[in-house]
Amino acid sequence: MGAASSGSPLRADARRNADQIRRAAMDVFRDRGLTVPLEDVAAAAGVSKATIFNRFGGRVGLVEAVIDEVVAAELSRIVDRTRSIADAQEQMAYYVTAIRDLQYSRPAANDVLLQEFPHSPQLMAICHAAEEIDDELVAAGHASSTLRPEFTRDDLHALVVDNAIALKHGARPRRADYDRRTGFILEGIRAHKPSPA
Amino acid sequence: MGAASSGSPLRADARRNADQIRRAAMDVFRDRGLTVPLEDVAAAAGVSKATIFNRFGGRVGLVEAVIDEVVAAELSRIVDRTRSIADAQEQMAYYVTAIRDLQYSRPAANDVLLQEFPHSPQLMAICHAAEEIDDELVAAGHASSTLRPEFTRDDLHALVVDNAIALKHGARPRRADYDRRTGFILEGIRAHKPSPA
DNA sequence: CGGAAACTGACCTTCCGGGTCAACTTACGC
DNA sequence: GCGTAAGTTGACCCGGAAGGTCAGTTTCCG
């Protein structure tokens, strides 16, 4: 978008800078989220903040230029893998675990999930895809009676969003603690079959 | 502390203003948290911001002057009631439900739990009391095998803190949704006895 | 009524990050 | 090489939000 395909070809130095900015943005966004000061991205790229505006028009343009590499690809990989699982119980377990893993290791994912850029159709599309699978999972869980019947799509969504907020604004827990808590969540939402008597 | 007991007695108008500020602070803090702009408290009290500084020295002084009425009393009531419950399972259920209820209806509680004022011994004491009961509850739960054995004190603490963050920075869920989710949490952490066969 | 106490509005300060621009530097076609 | 357009950049402005301050005025009360 924007500068990528328009008008005359870039001069060599401009192209080089754009590449460096992209690379820096991937690193910095991945590790510190999509709301990191652009100045930090610029510093990591070895250019000045103004150059980012020259090449990408601003934060949104830059985010859209790298969001795929940063999280979108991984997110859709998770969605695909989830869909490929037959057993509803496993499916839900995989999805929740994988999403929470992504949220832990890729702060940028939380910014996407929290819809920090509501004006970017591209970013919103990613969110929408995630909402869709929530529906499927809950439906599958109910159909197979492996999910508590009162558990709703909104509950699953809230699970993810609340975790995003906690990771974004709170202290990052140790990995082992985080994973253990993922387990408690899964326990809490799964239907306990009345032990096949 | 500070202005309350020091030096000469206040003039009538000063005393009146101090009272109005206290009353306004209770309302505003309760509803909107302890980090609300002091200007809003002043407006609600019908005085100017500077008067709050005159009487209370600043936000911390004011918070300490009203924290008891705002949340501390309710919080310790919860702790007391929890301790008075004999059954470990019920105890945990009551505590988690009551704390989460407090968090939902009293945003100020979240600011206390999140330790927004680490320099106030008074506020920190409240936190500390809350941490103590976490220990007791987890110990009781383990002793009676009503709590998952891998569930730790930190897990309980994280449960409360993460919820505080979610309520502070996120959208407030509908009450029914919130309560339902409280139920999922309780399900997730309780030990499922191997159905008394 | 006089002076001390108290109040207040307007102001300062700091932090933060997005965004802009005139002046400088660099690439590159001729 | 050199002119010039493209590109870069540091320094700047902006807005918002909030804590904190103070000179000038009002209010109390002995």
Side-chain angles (χ1 to χ4, degrees):
Chain A
M1 294 261 188
S5 56
S6 65
S8 49
L10 290 175
R11 230 169 65 178
D13 52 350
R15 182 179 296 280
R16 190 178 353 109
N17 281 335
D19 280 350
Q20 277 178 293
I21 291 169
R22 251 187 294 269
R23 241 176 285 134
M26 287 177 209
D27 288 352
V28 177
F29 283 161
R30 242 198 282 264
D31 293 351
R32 299 172 53 201
L34 302 179
T35 59
V36 75
L38 288 185
E39 250 170 318
D40 290 11
V41 177
V47 303
S48 111
K49 180 174 52 147
T51 302
I52 294 184
F53 284 87
N54 288 343
R55 297 282 128 257
F56 298 93
R59 155 160 276 128
V60 174
L62 181 55
V63 167
E64 293 186 335
V66 299
I67 193 60
D68 221 75
E69 286 86 341
V70 172
V71 288
E74 291 206 55
L75 219 168
S76 69
R77 224 198 57 218
I78 290 174
V79 171
D80 288 348
R81 289 206 186 178
T82 300
R83 288 220 173 87
S84 79
I85 297 172
D87 181 73
Q89 176 94 47
E90 268 179 53
Q91 202 179 32
M92 178 69 84
Y94 173 78
Y95 177 74
V96 171
T97 305
I99 283 278
R100 280 179 54 97
D101 177 71
L102 186 70
Q103 291 183 287
Y104 186 89
S105 55
R106 295 274 184 274
N110 294 323
D111 291 322
V112 174
L113 264 358
L114 291 173
Q115 312 193 357
E116 298 276 347
F117 303 93
H119 295 305
S120 163
Q122 194 179 339
L123 278 282
M124 294 306 288
I126 301 175
C127 282
H128 195 262
E131 276 165 35
E132 243 172 50
I133 198 167
D134 283 3
D135 274 341
E136 295 177 28
L137 283 174
V138 171
H142 286 161
S144 64
S145 297
T146 55
L147 185 66
R148 292 195 159 258
E150 72 271 30
F151 189 85
T152 69
R153 172 197 54 166
D154 285 350
D155 291 335
L156 183 52
H157 191 244
L159 213 64
V160 173
V161 168
D162 284 359
N163 188 45
I165 296 174
L167 285 170
K168 188 178 176 72
H169 299 285
R172 146 171 305 226
R174 284 186 298 125
R175 187 62 209 235
D177 294 338
Y178 185 79
D179 289 340
R180 176 156 27 83
R181 288 162 200 163
T182 304
F184 297 138
I185 291 171
L186 287 170
E187 273 307 308
I189 69 177
R190 88 158 207 259
H192 290 271
K193 312 207 166 173
S195 58
Chain B
M1 291 262 188
S5 57
S6 65
S8 49
L10 291 174
R11 227 169 66 179
D13 53 348
R15 184 179 293 280
R16 192 180 347 113
N17 280 335
D19 280 350
Q20 277 179 295
I21 291 169
R22 251 187 294 270
R23 242 175 284 135
M26 289 179 210
D27 287 354
V28 177
F29 283 162
R30 243 199 281 265
D31 293 351
R32 299 172 53 201
L34 301 179
T35 58
V36 74
L38 287 187
E39 249 170 319
D40 291 11
V41 177
V47 303
S48 109
K49 180 175 52 150
T51 302
I52 294 183
F53 284 87
N54 287 343
R55 296 283 128 254
F56 298 93
R59 155 161 276 127
V60 174
L62 181 54
V63 167
E64 292 186 336
V66 299
I67 192 61
D68 221 75
E69 286 88 340
V70 172
V71 286
E74 291 204 57
L75 219 169
S76 69
R77 224 197 58 217
I78 291 174
V79 171
D80 288 348
R81 289 204 185 180
T82 300
R83 288 218 172 89
S84 78
I85 296 172
D87 181 73
Q89 177 91 49
E90 267 179 54
Q91 202 179 32
M92 179 66 86
Y94 173 79
Y95 178 74
V96 171
T97 305
I99 283 279
R100 280 179 55 97
D101 177 72
L102 187 70
Q103 291 184 288
Y104 186 89
S105 55
R106 295 273 184 276
N110 294 322
D111 291 323
V112 173
L113 264 357
L114 292 173
Q115 310 193 2
E116 297 276 346
F117 304 92
H119 294 304
S120 162
Q122 195 180 338
L123 278 281
M124 294 306 287
I126 301 176
C127 283
H128 193 262
E131 276 166 35
E132 243 172 51
I133 198 168
D134 282 2
D135 275 340
E136 295 177 29
L137 283 174
V138 171
H142 286 162
S144 63
S145 297
T146 55
L147 186 65
R148 292 194 161 259
E150 72 272 30
F151 189 84
T152 70
R153 174 196 52 165
D154 285 350
D155 291 335
L156 184 50
H157 192 245
L159 212 64
V160 172
V161 169
D162 284 359
N163 188 45
I165 296 174
L167 284 169
K168 189 177 175 71
H169 298 284
R172 146 170 303 226
R174 283 187 300 124
R175 187 62 210 235
D177 294 338
Y178 184 79
D179 288 341
R180 176 157 25 85
R181 288 161 200 165
T182 303
F184 297 138
I185 291 171
L186 287 170
E187 273 306 307
I189 69 178
R190 87 156 208 259
H192 289 271
K193 312 208 167 173
S195 59

